[in-house]
Amino acid sequence: MDDNIRMGGFQILPPVIKNLLIINALFFLAKLVVQNFGIDLDTWLGLHYFSAPDFHIWQLVTYMFMHANFGHLFFNMFALWMFGAVVENYWGTKRFLFYYFATGIGAGLVHYAVLGYTLQPDLNLIDAFVANPDFTNFANFYQQNHISGLTPEFRRHLSECYSYLSANPNDAQALNAVGDQLARLKDDLTNIHVIVGASGACFGVMLAFGMLFPNSQIYLYFLIPIKAKWFVLGYGLLELIFGVTGTADGIGHFAHLGGMLVGIILILLWRRNDQQRSQDVDEWY
């Protein structure tokens, strides 16, 4: 694609960017207001794990408009404007709007696909025991689960249950009681995972800027010049490293990578289709 940004008819705040900034700000203000009444909008609008009791399909879209704090909102919106205004001017409103939501939804899907890879085996062990509460299934869960974050008290309780049931494997009442506890544990394990923010979509927009204008200069910390393609590549590699090493910083690194991945797929598909249409036109004439 072009290395230079086309400035003819350039809008500093094109329609989609302007409305996204306004809507995100309104959602943040609404969150601040209703929390004074004991209402947590993240519970309803943040994206939960797909098997969580609090998951709803609309969260795949609404989570992009929720932010943890003002800093989270500010830096996402600044990045959206910084890269997105140029991309929207270049692509036009319809393509940019589709791209924004596609990368945002894709980011959430990738985030929970990666989480499910580690979480789902333990959930399957719980499901097997709850569906058939016998000692064998409980022993499988007790010996094979890799659940982190359990309180020392609950771990001690599980150990006591295991010791008792080892000696009394046919105690149906005890087995059912443990099954009820593990069913509640599953709900807790899935509900605690909630992602909010437009970061995944913003990373997709940043990726688009880097692919459309690879040699444009970006100034790191407003001082250090770097070409857009190296900036995007470096940021992507950092997100991959942080995601793989599992840094406990509360940031959805794989959501960021997911937004970039969906962005690459869309842009490559559009490039191929645009080239095909161009060839068809040339053949017609």
Side-chain angles (χ1 to χ4, degrees):
M1 301 298 288
D2 294 350
D3 291 340
N4 298 314
I5 300 172
R6 300 176 182 177
M7 298 303 293
F10 185 87
Q11 293 179 284
I12 294 177
L13 274 178
V16 174
I17 295 296
K18 179 176 68 176
N19 283 289
L20 286 175
L21 294 178
I22 293 171
I23 294 170
N24 275 276
L26 290 175
F27 268 76
F28 186 70
L29 288 174
K31 176 179 177 176
L32 295 180
V33 171
V34 300
Q35 71 183 11
N36 293 323
F37 301 94
I39 300 172
D40 183 8
L41 278 186
D42 289 345
T43 300
W44 296 97
L45 303 181
L47 182 58
H48 290 69
Y49 187 62
F50 306 128
S51 63
D54 286 343
F55 170 75
H56 302 284
I57 192 65
W58 63 73
Q59 294 169 355
L60 283 166
V61 173
T62 57
Y63 92 96
M64 289 183 268
F65 298 102
M66 303 302 299
H67 288 83
N69 50 54
F70 179 76
H72 189 203
L73 173 70
F74 175 81
F75 286 109
N76 273 349
M77 295 302 99
F78 179 76
L80 175 61
W81 169 78
M82 177 180 175
F83 299 108
V86 176
V87 176
E88 184 182 348
N89 274 282
Y90 186 86
W91 270 344
T93 298
K94 291 182 179 180
R95 178 171 286 196
F96 180 79
L97 183 63
F98 177 85
Y99 180 88
Y100 179 83
F101 281 107
T103 53
I105 293 171
L109 294 174
V110 170
H111 174 82
Y112 279 132
V114 174
L115 176 65
Y117 180 78
T118 58
L119 182 63
Q120 197 59 46
D122 292 325
L123 299 181
N124 291 340
L125 290 171
I126 293 176
D127 287 340
F129 175 64
V130 172
N132 184 19
D134 61 20
F135 177 71
T136 300
N137 284 330
F138 178 67
N140 288 337
F141 165 78
Y142 182 79
Q143 296 167 1
Q144 298 178 34
N145 86 85
H146 298 88
I147 300 173
S148 60
L150 295 180
T151 64
E153 293 78 9
F154 194 81
R155 289 190 180 279
R156 184 166 56 251
H157 174 68
L158 286 177
S159 179
E160 292 171 352
C161 290
Y162 181 76
S163 297
Y164 174 81
L165 290 171
S166 296
N168 304 275
N170 296 318
D171 189 335
Q173 184 175 359
L175 287 166
N176 288 327
V178 174
D180 291 341
Q181 293 172 353
L182 291 187
R184 290 193 294 271
L185 173 64
K186 178 186 175 182
D187 288 347
D188 292 340
L189 287 173
T190 53
N191 266 333
I192 60 174
H193 296 284
V194 185
I195 57 172
V196 295
S199 301
C202 289
F203 268 78
V205 172
M206 180 179 70
L207 181 279
F209 183 91
M211 292 185 70
L212 294 172
F213 313 105
N215 294 317
S216 296
Q217 294 285 352
I218 294 174
Y219 288 86
L220 281 177
Y221 304 110
F222 302 100
L223 294 174
I224 306 171
I226 182 174
K227 289 185 177 180
K229 58 185 176 183
W230 303 125
F231 176 82
V232 172
L233 179 61
Y235 228 132
L237 288 174
L238 284 175
E239 290 298 317
L240 180 60
I241 292 170
F242 292 148
V244 171
T245 55
T247 56
D249 54 9
I251 298 174
H253 298 292
F254 283 108
H256 300 168
L257 290 169
M260 298 179 84
L261 175 63
V262 174
I264 290 173
I265 294 172
L266 281 175
I267 291 171
L268 292 179
L269 286 174
W270 286 340
R271 280 184 178 179
R272 187 182 68 178
N273 292 338
D274 291 344
Q275 289 171 356
Q276 184 62 49
R277 283 197 295 268
S278 178
Q279 291 174 3
D280 292 341
V281 170
D282 290 341
E283 292 173 0
W284 176 260
Y285 285 101

